[in-house]
Amino acid sequence: MAAKPKLHYFRGRGRMESVRWLLAAAGVEFEEEFLETREQYEKLQKDGRLLFGQVPLVEIDGMELTQTRAILSYLAAKYNLYGKDLKERVRIDMYTDGTLDLMMMVAVGAFKPPAEKEETSAKTRYFPVFEKILKDHGEDFLVGNKFSWADIQLLEAILLVEELDASVLSDFPLLKAFKTRISNIPTIKKFLQPGSQRKPPPDSHYVAVVREILQF
Amino acid sequence: MELWSLLWGGGGCSLLGPPSSAGRSVPAFKQLAQPRSWPAGAEQRRSQDFLGNQETAIMAGKPTLHYFDGRGRMEAIRWLLAAAGVEFEEKYIATPEDLDKLRNDGRLMFGQVPMVEIDGMELVQTRAILNYIASKHNLYGKDLKERALIDMYIEGMADLNEMIIIFPIHPPGEKEAKLALIKEKTTNRYFPAFEKVLKSHGQDYLVGNRLSRADIHLVELIYNAEELLPGVTASFPLLKALKTRISNLPNVKKFLQPGSQRKPPMNPKSLEQAKKIFRLP
């Protein structure tokens, strides 16, 4: 039996959360080793396990993968969540890239003064695009009438932005329906329940731990 | 929003115009274009260019790149196409109105460039475009594991390249510090990582003993780093050798010669123009 993937990261969302979502949605059990001290982090680096000295790190299939997008692409392909051909794949890439841009802005937002409004970007640049995509084909999933990484990434982004602005979907009825539909997929439903490996929004303690470990 | 994302994203400008009823096979906003009026001379010149280039491009099936006349985020795409021996057309965004038109015509999915017309699609998002081209031209490894390694390497390269792309845009007071940071990351984090990869297998290419996009992107990065930090590759003999080897591949050699579609580094004039196009202060 194959060993479970093992995630190395802080005990929080950050850049690893999308990886947790994808694994959970694919029904893949995984382990986590949480970075809690500077020493642990330095050990990973000294042991040469972090190609560019950074986390996320995922041990999977005999590899030590870093770089969030590399990890996500590998998992999407491995678990058949990357479309059926190159043209579907490029659409998934476009959608996930856009969504990840939005989410990276939100993720680093926790470390900044509360000046910027990422939820505005969501409302004006990103969500209208996805609403239109769903409207144009009238299907349940974003690409190829089949559940893919793009759907998982979009749901994650929607929930993330809703935490900043609960009414952000008020002008997007199809996204609202999409959110309900994808949330009800059994593996995702399970992940959304308390006790799962989903992490809570960053709080000041989390920010402090990360700053201490990464020394910034 | 960060200055960098303002530049390439084109600011906080929202996707303008009502959704289209005319569908495209690609998920882009497209609306029945209401042409703007601009000076007659310009329009004529533009439509000549447009028809000339577009007809040729369509007939030849060449990709068409939409960007301003400079490196930015499109340069990696130019390198990859050139290395793959793919001829391509370019339509330059020269004014803010040019960018507006692309947006109003619903051709930019997230209101941003780069945009590449290829195989009947209008692709956006640099990574998506690069992934597509690499896959199509067999420059993405032979299997999923090779692809994962390539992805890991090129994502690291993209992080460093990002700093280099943005460098010209920083105000003069910040430049020294930013340059020091780029130097530090290049010499302590990124170049050592790739030198180590090459050393570990002793092969001519980064992944799978075969040319892949990873080699192309790395060599582009080496050239970019050397422009900012002359001699930075001196203590990385394997990277130097890779650079020489890849530069001598016929397609790359051609691209490196004057008269190719490779773009020069940004200068104060081109920076001013880029700021105008993206309506930056």
Side-chain angles (χ1 to χ4, degrees):
Chain A
M1 219 160 67
K4 291 181 194 175
K6 192 172 194 184
L7 278 48
H8 296 258
Y9 202 66
F10 316 106
R11 191 189 299 267
R13 288 181 180 176
R15 292 180 188 275
M16 189 61 101
E17 193 71 354
S18 297
V19 176
R20 297 182 185 108
W21 267 88
L22 192 48
L23 285 167
V28 177
E29 286 182 28
F30 57 93
E31 289 172 5
E32 300 195 74
E33 206 167 282
F34 297 114
L35 285 179
E36 256 131 14
T37 67
R38 174 89 192 153
E39 289 67 40
Q40 276 175 284
Y41 180 57
E42 282 174 352
K43 181 171 197 323
L44 281 177
Q45 288 175 314
K46 273 198 204 102
D47 292 348
R49 303 180 69 186
L50 306 178
L51 180 63
F52 302 111
Q54 300 165 312
V55 287
L57 162 67
V58 174
E59 297 176 63
I60 184 167
D61 298 335
M63 297 181 292
E64 304 218 293
L65 285 185
T66 57
Q67 292 292 336
T68 313
R69 281 179 169 92
I71 296 163
L72 291 169
S73 293
Y74 180 76
L75 294 174
K78 186 179 168 163
Y79 297 112
N80 290 309
L81 292 164
Y82 219 162
K84 72 178 196 297
D85 57 26
L86 196 49
K87 287 207 170 184
E88 284 193 355
R89 171 172 281 194
V90 76
R91 285 170 60 198
I92 292 169
D93 275 343
M94 280 195 288
Y95 302 167
T96 54
D97 268 359
T99 320
L100 281 167
D101 278 354
L102 172 62
M103 287 182 31
M104 297 274 181
M105 285 193 263
V106 175
V108 303
F111 293 83
K112 287 184 172 164
E116 282 123 45
K117 298 243 162 225
E118 288 80 20
E119 61 267 34
T120 311
S121 254
K123 272 200 259 209
T124 57
R125 171 168 281 170
Y126 296 101
F127 288 178
V129 174
F130 296 115
E131 181 79 5
K132 182 179 192 298
I133 287 165
L134 291 171
K135 185 173 184 193
D136 284 352
H137 60 45
E139 292 164 6
D140 282 352
F141 305 105
L142 284 169
V143 179
N145 206 14
K146 197 173 104 127
F147 184 54
S148 79
W149 172 28
D151 303 301
I152 301 164
Q153 202 62 76
L154 180 56
L155 176 61
E156 185 192 355
I158 287 170
L159 295 179
L160 195 66
V161 179
E162 276 186 332
E163 281 172 359
L164 297 176
D165 172 7
S167 69
V168 73
L169 286 191
S170 52
D171 296 329
F172 306 110
L174 295 179
L175 286 182
K176 262 202 196 139
F178 173 86
K179 175 191 158 189
T180 306
R181 200 161 53 242
I182 306 301
S183 300
N184 280 323
I185 291 173
T187 48
I188 295 184
K189 190 169 189 167
K190 194 166 161 212
F191 187 62
L192 289 171
Q193 273 153 10
S196 81
Q197 283 162 296
R198 190 182 180 211
K199 300 295 174 280
D203 58 15
S204 53
H205 171 72
Y206 173 74
V207 171
V209 167
V210 176
R211 281 188 185 278
E212 147 99 36
I213 293 176
L214 296 183
Q215 289 183 347
F216 72 95
Chain B
M1 274 217 243
E2 302 277 356
L3 178 60
W4 60 268
S5 63
L6 275 178
L7 177 64
W8 313 117
C13 302
S14 49
L15 200 54
L16 299 170
S20 153
S21 52
R24 271 180 184 256
S25 63
V26 80
F29 268 61
K30 183 191 184 253
Q31 68 178 34
L32 301 172
Q34 297 298 320
R36 286 198 174 208
S37 60
W38 46 65
E43 189 171 34
Q44 203 167 34
R45 193 173 57 240
R46 192 188 317 279
S47 62
Q48 263 176 0
D49 262 351
F50 180 84
L51 287 174
N53 284 344
Q54 280 302 94
E55 274 181 8
T56 316
I58 288 164
M59 268 161 36
K62 289 184 200 176
T64 302
L65 279 47
H66 294 259
Y67 205 62
F68 70 94
D69 187 1
R71 289 184 180 175
R73 291 186 188 286
M74 189 62 97
E75 194 71 354
I77 293 168
R78 298 182 184 108
W79 267 85
L80 192 57
L81 285 168
V86 177
E87 284 182 27
F88 56 93
E89 298 286 342
E90 301 196 72
K91 275 200 56 87
Y92 298 119
I93 297 166
T95 65
E97 290 74 30
D98 288 344
L99 185 57
D100 287 343
K101 181 167 188 359
L102 282 172
R103 286 181 173 141
N104 292 347
D105 290 349
R107 303 181 72 188
L108 306 179
M109 181 177 295
F110 302 112
Q112 301 165 315
V113 286
M115 189 269 273
V116 173
E117 297 177 66
I118 184 169
D119 298 337
M121 301 179 288
E122 299 203 314
L123 299 183
V124 297
Q125 292 291 339
T126 313
R127 283 177 173 91
I129 296 165
L130 289 168
N131 289 358
Y132 183 80
I133 294 166
S135 295
K136 190 178 170 192
H137 296 282
N138 290 311
L139 290 166
Y140 219 159
K142 74 177 197 296
D143 58 27
L144 199 49
K145 283 201 170 185
E146 284 195 356
R147 192 189 150 127
L149 280 183
I150 290 170
D151 276 344
M152 187 166 49
Y153 300 163
I154 65 184
E155 283 296 310
M157 293 174 207
D159 283 349
L160 179 57
N161 208 35
E162 184 81 6
M163 290 187 246
I164 293 174
I165 289 176
I166 296 162
F167 178 71
I169 302 161
H170 289 294
E174 287 177 25
K175 279 217 161 107
E176 200 179 317
K178 292 295 176 185
L179 189 59
L181 184 64
I182 292 171
K183 184 175 186 184
E184 199 261 316
K185 296 293 178 201
T186 304
T187 51
N188 294 343
R189 170 174 282 175
Y190 292 105
F191 277 17
F194 299 120
E195 184 80 5
K196 190 175 172 194
V197 168
L198 290 169
K199 188 165 186 194
S200 72
H201 55 51
Q203 291 165 1
D204 282 355
Y205 305 101
L206 280 166
V207 178
N209 207 14
R210 193 173 92 123
L211 179 71
S212 78
R213 63 181 292 195
D215 307 296
I216 310 297
H217 297 322
L218 181 53
V219 169
E220 180 196 357
L221 181 60
I222 291 170
Y223 276 105
N224 289 348
E226 285 178 333
E227 274 172 6
L228 271 187
L229 304 160
V232 71
T233 322
S235 38
F236 302 101
L238 298 178
L239 291 185
K240 257 170 123 178
L242 179 77
K243 178 190 165 193
T244 304
R245 222 164 29 245
I246 301 301
S247 300
N248 282 325
L249 295 173
N251 289 333
V252 179
K253 192 168 192 170
K254 197 166 154 207
F255 187 65
L256 288 168
Q257 271 153 12
S260 81
Q261 283 162 294
R262 187 181 180 212
K263 301 294 174 273
M266 208 157 228
N267 57 41
K269 184 166 171 234
S270 54
L271 178 60
E272 276 316 300
Q273 203 212 6
K275 282 184 175 177
K276 258 203 205 113
I277 292 168
F278 295 103
R279 291 200 174 94
L280 289 177

